[in-house]
């Protein structure tokens, strides 16, 4: 199942493909020659989209329980908040404050990316050239955004048309690029912190109403894990990515591997800004069959140790 665009809730198995602000080198790889979309992408069903009322949005855990039965049939879904997103200026201010705290309060708000290979040449003896954990460079958000947009513009200019490319056409270019000559993009992942403002105290979200921002509700990512009805509220220590949020900053074609969430928990993700983002989900009952496909076709029938895993997208 596929899900595109903004704020989302995802049960376990997901792969994220970022079509967000993008970029890399001044000499981008030559893109495929056509934007004709593969038939299998056209046929891939879309995950459900939910638009809760202000009353339903008041209680995150209750709403998740309400939609879980249907959403689990897809493994993924999208929730569109009935309140306002934060302004970009506010989001960037919170993000930079979070990055500075992560680096030490006296440090500049920077982050380090990781190199990600796009493209796979099975005819070559070493088709994978760079491990996914290889470090990239250090950027401020503005520096990375500038570099990313430049790369995206150069990569997509061959396909410029009135109205630009659709999300499906860009998604199609990603899959075509995976079968071509390898090149690298950059992605910053698993950074403890948030672009939401800190909450003063648990349970202080106001009654959801007109003119409110997402960060003012119980869905604020800094505190939603400990909302009423969540077992995580009883954990004494903070665990980044479980009880407290982490930040991800991507560019066009940056990706995140298929995975099952820690302890089979649900995964709640919020997209603050940038271009659309594509997620793929596997229904709960199809998880074992999917893993068998990966084992046979991704690992040649073997279960490779994690340390030998380099790239699968």
């Amino acid at each position: 199942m596929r899900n595109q665009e903004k704020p989302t809730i995802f049960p376990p198995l997901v792969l994220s493909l970022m079509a967000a602000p993008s970029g890399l080198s001044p000499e981008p790889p030559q893109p495929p020659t056509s934007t004709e979309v593969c038939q299998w992408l056209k046929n891939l069903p879309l995950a459900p989209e939910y638009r809760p009322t202000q009353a339903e949005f008041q209680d995150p855990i209750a709403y998740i329980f309400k939609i879980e039965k249907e959403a689990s049939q897809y493994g993924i879904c999208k929730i569109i908040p009935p309140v306002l997103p934060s302004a970009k200026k506010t989001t960037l201010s919170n993000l930079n404050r979070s990055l500075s705290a992560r680096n030490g309060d006296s440090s500049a708000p920077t982050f380090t990316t990781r190199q990600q290979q796009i493209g796979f040449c099975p005819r070559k003896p070493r088709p994978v050239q760079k491990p996914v954990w290889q470090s990239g460079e250090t950027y401020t958000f503005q520096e990375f955004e500038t570099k990313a947009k430049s790369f995206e513009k150069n990569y997509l200019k061959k396909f410029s048309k009135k109205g630009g490319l659709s999300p499906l056409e860009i998604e199609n270019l990603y899959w075509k690029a995976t079968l071509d000559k390898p090149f690298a993009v950059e992605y910053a992942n698993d950074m403890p912190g948030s672009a939401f403002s800190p909450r003063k105290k648990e349970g202080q979200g106001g009654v959801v109403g007109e003119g409110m921002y997402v960060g003012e509700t119980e869905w604020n990512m800094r505190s939603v894990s400990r909302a009423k009805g969540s077992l995580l509220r009883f954990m004494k220590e903070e665990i980044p990515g479980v009880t407290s949020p982490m930040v991800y900053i991507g560019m066009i074609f940056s990706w995140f591997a298929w995975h099952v969430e820690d302890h089979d928990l649900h995964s709640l993700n919020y997209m603050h800004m940038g271009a659309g983002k594509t997620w793929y989900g596997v229904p709960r009952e199809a998880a074992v069959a999917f893993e068998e496909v990966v084992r046979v076709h991704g690992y040649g029938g073997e279960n490779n140790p994690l340390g030998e895993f380099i790239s699968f997208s």
Side-chain angles (χ1 to χ4, degrees), residues 176-249:
K176 287 187 175 181
T178 63
L179 302 176
D180 208 345
K181 183 179 178 181
F183 62 96
V185 295
E186 295 181 64
Y187 179 46
N189 65 296
D190 296 337
M191 298 186 294
S194 177
F196 281 108
S197 300
R199 299 289 296 280
K200 294 181 179 179
K201 188 183 295 184
E202 176 193 344
Q204 282 196 339
V207 177
V208 177
E210 295 292 337
M212 286 190 69
Y213 294 95
V214 175
E216 297 175 314
T217 73
E218 295 292 341
W219 293 79
N220 184 311
M221 298 292 282
R222 289 183 179 269
S223 58
V224 68
S225 64
R226 298 183 184 275
K228 181 183 68 175
S230 171
L231 290 176
L232 295 178
R233 68 187 305 175
F234 298 107
M235 296 187 66
K236 295 181 179 180
E237 298 181 359
E238 293 289 352
I239 302 176
V242 178
T243 62
S244 58
M246 293 194 293
V247 176
Y248 298 75
I249 301 175

Side-chain angles (χ1 to χ4, degrees), residues 56 58-68 219 227-229:
E56 290 174 323
Q58 187 69 38
D59 189 331
I61 305 304
Y63 188 71
I64 290 171
F65 281 149
K66 180 177 181 177
I67 66 174
E68 184 175 28
W219 293 79
K228 181 183 68 175

Side-chain angles (χ1 to χ4, degrees), residues 15 22 37 54 76 79 84 96 117 122 139 143 151 156 179 198-199 216 232 251 276 284 292 310:
L15 164 69
S22 50
V37 178
Q54 292 178 0
I76 192 172
I79 296 176
L84 301 171
N96 286 333
Q117 178 174 313
Y139 304 89
E143 289 170 344
F151 180 84
L156 298 181
L179 302 176
R199 299 289 296 280
E216 297 175 314
L232 295 178
M251 56 182 288
R284 184 178 300 165
E292 180 64 10
I310 296 180

Side-chain angles (χ1 to χ4, degrees), residues 1-2 15 17 36-46 168 171-176 178-179 258 278 280 313:
M1 306 299 169
R2 183 173 70 244
L15 164 69
L17 295 175
E36 182 179 356
V37 178
C38 300
Q39 191 61 45
W40 70 268
L41 274 178
K42 293 179 181 179
N43 295 339
L44 198 62
L46 293 176
L168 185 59
E171 180 182 359
N172 186 66
L173 287 179
Y174 168 84
W175 288 109
K176 287 187 175 181
T178 63
L179 302 176
W258 290 98
T278 300
Y280 295 95
S313 62

Side-chain angles (χ1 to χ4, degrees), residues 234-273:
F234 298 107
M235 296 187 66
K236 295 181 179 180
E237 298 181 359
E238 293 289 352
I239 302 176
V242 178
T243 62
S244 58
M246 293 194 293
V247 176
Y248 298 75
I249 301 175
M251 56 182 288
I252 193 169
F253 297 157
S254 58
W255 52 271
F256 201 79
W258 290 98
H259 64 285
V260 176
E261 297 297 337
D262 295 336
H263 302 292
D264 290 335
L265 294 170
H266 289 66
S267 176
L268 180 64
N269 301 267
Y270 182 81
M271 186 161 174
H272 289 276
M273 69 181 83

